[in-house]
Amino acid sequence: IPGVVGGLLLCNEYASAPAMIGFIMLAGTTVNNGILLLDHVINARRKFEDPVDAIIKAIKARLAPILVTALTTVIGMIPIFMPVLMTI
């Protein structure tokens, strides 16, 4: 939420429908990444791994997919953000 508010303030924009769509996309991506990361940790813990090792392995396994998902989300929101970029 602070990033969304900060971005709107930085661009001198109001909370519009495209901004809310972007916020929902961001929230959905964040929740999905958290669920998948937690699922990896739980699966590793079922194999009787140390909790710290399970977390480290889950982060190593999920970091690249999380970054790719974030990048594609940002690229997908560029057309929504283009009118703002044209006025700056």
Side-chain angles (χ1 to χ4, degrees):
I1 294 177
V4 172
V5 173
L8 289 172
L9 291 174
L10 180 69
C11 294
N12 198 23
E13 287 290 320
Y14 296 104
S16 61
M20 293 301 109
I21 291 170
F23 175 72
I24 292 168
M25 288 173 62
L26 179 66
T29 302
T30 304
V31 168
N32 188 36
N33 288 335
I35 290 170
L36 291 174
L37 190 61
L38 188 59
D39 184 52
H40 274 291
V41 172
I42 291 170
N43 287 336
R45 289 287 294 143
R46 285 187 183 145
K47 297 175 185 173
F48 303 106
E49 290 188 25
D50 180 52
V52 175
D53 289 338
I55 292 169
I56 291 171
K57 285 182 182 179
I59 290 172
K60 285 182 180 179
R62 291 296 309 158
L63 183 61
I66 286 172
L67 292 177
V68 169
T69 302
L71 180 64
T72 57
T73 302
V74 169
I75 291 171
M77 288 193 304
I78 287 175
I80 297 171
F81 193 62
M82 279 305 242
V84 175
L85 290 176
M86 296 299 177
T87 60
I88 295 178

